[in-house]
Structures are given as structure tokens and as C-alpha cells.
Amino acid sequence: MSHSGPFVDTAILANIRRIGGDPLLNKIIRLFLDLAPEKIKAAYEGEKNGDLEAVERSVHSLRSSAATIGAPILYELCGTLERLSAENKRDQVAELLCALKESFQDVKMCLEKEKIDLSMKKIMVVEDNPDNRLLVRAILEERYEITECENGLQAIEALKQVTPDLVILDISLPGMDGLEVLSRIRADQNMKDLPVIALTAHAMVGDREKFLLDGFDDYVAKPILDENVLLSVIEQRLAESE
Ligand code: MN
């Protein structure tokens, strides 16, 4: 979330993302963009029919949504419109409704720019044990787009089709082991900087330096007892590779 303008407070968006990741942020943005035009339309119709209570209800609801999404100018406008409607100042309400419509367009433009950055990051999980694949998927699938491979050869083939943003790679694999898969990834010019996290049986974990020397970016020990360890390692590596 690099840009921030007067129309959208990106700190608020970042907080929504912190709570529920990209899927939640996407859903909330989509809901806002779907519902706000209906509320604005209802406010216009209320004014046209001289029903300022209807205007007040609509802008009150829109104001709450503007707060959730972090749209300060829209929020202020709704507050002013609410007050003017309550005071029955129809001319001023009519005038300000035009500004409200424009302000929503500005917010919409900013949010759509954010949405472009919101596609889920892709993670490839290479692990021969279905139990572990299921566990890793359960931890990650709300936040990332997951592809699963059961062995090294399958992973190498899949990597020719789509390059993920990060790979979680089991070391002990039938046939081609994790180290061999890693060395093939590193030999490929397009993937030499691809973050690869070793997934290793606890018994194999001894020397963090060893995994880093082998060319892994990090490692996570199996069994995964604390999902936050895996999530934070992934987040760190993705942030560094941006
Ligand atoms: Mn294995």
C-alpha cells in the first residue's frame, strides 16, 4: 500500500488487511463499492421527494461505511448532510448531494487502485505427506492461493507453468529430494531469487546456518505446532522479496 491521498486513508485499509488479510480487505472494498451507490441514490430520491428524513437515514448509513473503509472526506460530507437534513435545509442538502456523488467517485477511484494490488499471493507447497499438506493448506488458504505438489518432479513441472511468490519445500521427498529441487530452482535465472522455505522434520533441524548455506531463505520445523510461526516466516519473506 504505497500511495495515500486525501480520499482514502491507507492506514485504515492496512488495518483491515492485518485483521483478515487480502480476502477480507477485498470483500469489504467490494461491499462498499456495491452498496454506496444505492445509498447515494436513495439520498437523491429522498431530496427530490422532499423527504429529508430519508436523506438523513441514507447518509447516516453511508457515513458509517465511509468510516470503516477509511474515507475521511466522504465521512465529513455525510456528517454535514445528516445535520442539514435534520435542520430541514433542503437547498443546501441538494447542493451538497452533488459534492457527495463526486466524493464517492474519488474514493472509488482510489479503492480500485488498491484492489489491483490485492490479488492473493501464490504459494507452492511441496510435501509428500498428505496430512502435512492438509495442515499447511488449512493454515494458509484463507490468505494465499495455494498449489500443492506431492514430489519434486511434479514441483519442477508446475514451476515451468506458473511461478509462485514463494515455495514451501519439504526436504525428505521420494525420488528428487528438497535439496535437488532447490538447486534446480536456483539454477533457473527467473527463479534464482524466489523465496524458498524449507519444511523439515524436527529431528533434522539443528543448524539454521546449514539451511541458509544450502540456499533456503528460511526454515520451519515439522510438526507445525504454532501456525503463527509459519505465517510470520512467510510474511517476512514475501515482504523482503517485494
Ligand atoms: Mn516428506
Side-chain angles (χ1 to χ4, degrees), residues 126-129 132 150 170-174 199 222:
V126 190
E127 160 70 64
D128 59 314
N129 185 329
N132 283 328
E150 295 174 25
D170 182 20
I171 301 276
S172 308
L173 290 166
L199 194 61
K222 285 190 287 188

Side-chain angles (χ1 to χ4, degrees), residues 169-173 176-183 216:
L169 181 56
D170 182 20
I171 301 276
S172 308
L173 290 166
M176 189 190 297
D177 73 2
L179 280 172
E180 175 63 19
V181 175
L182 179 71
S183 76
F216 287 101

Side-chain angles (χ1 to χ4, degrees), residues 24-170:
L24 179 69
L25 185 53
N26 257 329
K27 278 180 204 158
I28 287 183
I29 288 178
R30 214 178 303 133
L31 261 180
F32 177 78
L33 293 177
D34 283 351
L35 297 180
E38 288 171 22
K39 292 172 189 170
I40 293 171
K41 194 171 162 226
Y44 263 85
E45 291 194 342
E47 193 280 326
K48 215 169 66 190
N49 301 328
D51 181 0
L52 291 193
E53 272 179 35
V55 177
E56 200 181 335
R57 276 196 306 275
S58 299
V59 295
H60 177 82
S61 166
L62 183 60
R63 182 164 167 246
S64 166
S65 300
T68 303
I69 205 87
I73 296 175
L74 189 66
Y75 177 84
E76 287 301 324
L77 267 172
C78 289
T80 308
L81 269 164
E82 225 182 311
R83 183 173 51 77
L84 291 171
S85 301
E87 292 168 1
N88 217 20
K89 294 181 173 155
R90 192 171 169 186
D91 289 348
Q92 292 181 52
V93 166
E95 215 169 285
L96 217 54
L97 278 174
C98 293
L100 184 76
K101 207 172 179 179
E102 278 168 29
S103 180
F104 170 67
Q105 289 305 325
D106 292 331
V107 171
K108 184 179 173 182
M109 215 174 61
C110 290
L111 290 177
E112 280 178 343
K113 269 190 232 153
E114 291 296 329
K115 257 170 59 176
I116 294 166
D117 305 333
L118 283 179
S119 58
M120 274 177 156
K121 292 263 164 86
K122 296 186 183 74
I123 294 184
M124 176 183 284
V125 180
V126 190
E127 160 70 64
D128 59 314
N129 185 329
D131 304 9
N132 283 328
R133 285 203 305 275
L134 195 60
L135 186 62
V136 171
R137 172 176 282 280
I139 295 169
L140 300 181
E141 74 182 344
E142 280 292 302
R143 286 161 190 257
Y144 303 104
E145 195 184 314
I146 307 294
T147 47
E148 293 177 8
C149 296
E150 295 174 25
N151 58 58
L153 214 56
Q154 212 182 73
I156 295 299
E157 285 307 310
L159 285 168
K160 285 179 191 162
Q161 309 300 320
V162 185
T163 307
D165 297 289
L166 183 143
V167 176
I168 296 171
L169 181 56
D170 182 20

